Amino acid sequence: MGTPEQLWRRAQVYADERSIAIVNANPLGFGQDGAVWETDRETAVKAFERERNYLNERDAYQRLAEEKINRIGPFDVPTLVAFDHELMIVEMGIVSPPYLLDFGKAYVDRASPYTPEQIAESIDESRQLFDAGDWPAIEAAVLDLKLIGIIYLDIKPANIRPDDAKMDLY
């Protein structure tokens, strides 16, 4: 759906239409869902490659906003600032560790297409990516998201970053 250059162009159009500037042409992050850039108003702009990932992320951030949630346990979650359906852009607040982010693969108010066995296997694999002491808070945060209708399965250190000094707050 989009090359890195196309994602960058859409992010620039979004920024120009809102009179904001992207701070650096190098993205804060780049992955399967798209790319993320920092703006001059201390937000991040994420341009998506696929509409489904854009809708997942937008819907998850809208749900978090409806529930007035910007923290899940010890993890900060970005707040929704704005979005543009035509450009497939989500603008969100920037968070520092400990954080939980990236909802491009989340399922809002709908079942995951994976079997319970596949989900259990994925969670077991994810558990191995984190320190054992961090896992209870991560698992609880994922459960808290499920309680508000968000099934979050993209559990990896790039998306959930614990901060050992704050993990005991959960």
Side-chain angles (χ1 to χ4, degrees), residues 1-23:
M1 179 80 171
T3 65
E5 294 79 21
Q6 290 168 327
L7 295 173
W8 168 249
R9 278 194 293 269
R10 285 195 282 119
Q12 277 297 135
V13 168
Y14 176 89
D16 291 346
E17 288 176 353
R18 287 155 182 81
S19 300
I20 58 176
I22 294 177
V23 174

Side-chain angles (χ1 to χ4, degrees), residues 18 21 53 67 88 112 150:
R18 287 155 182 81
N53 297 113
E67 298 288 331
M88 292 193 320
S112 160
I150 300 173

Side-chain angles (χ1 to χ4, degrees), residues 83-98:
F83 59 88
D84 185 303
H85 186 69
E86 184 177 319
L87 294 170
M88 292 193 320
I89 300 275
V90 171
E91 183 179 359
M92 66 202 95
I94 292 178
V95 292
S96 297

Side-chain angles (χ1 to χ4, degrees), residues 35-85:
V36 182
W37 291 272
E38 184 177 358
T39 73
D40 63 347
R41 64 179 180 188
E42 297 182 17
T43 63
V45 170
K46 184 171 183 179
F48 288 83
E49 294 212 25
R50 291 177 261 334
E51 184 178 29
R52 172 54 30 209
N53 297 113
Y54 158 75
L55 293 170
N56 291 343
E57 186 131 341
R58 183 203 64 191
D59 293 351
Y61 282 124
Q62 285 181 315
R63 173 62 48 82
L64 291 165
E66 289 165 6
E67 298 288 331
K68 296 178 177 39
I69 294 173
N70 61 10
R71 191 167 183 82
I72 304 279
F75 304 106
D76 287 335
V77 292
T79 55
L80 179 66
V81 174
F83 59 88
D84 185 303
H85 186 69

Side-chain angles (χ1 to χ4, degrees), residues 107-114 119 151 153:
Y107 300 90
V108 180
D109 293 335
R110 62 191 174 95
S112 160
Y114 303 105
I119 292 172
I151 298 175
L153 300 174

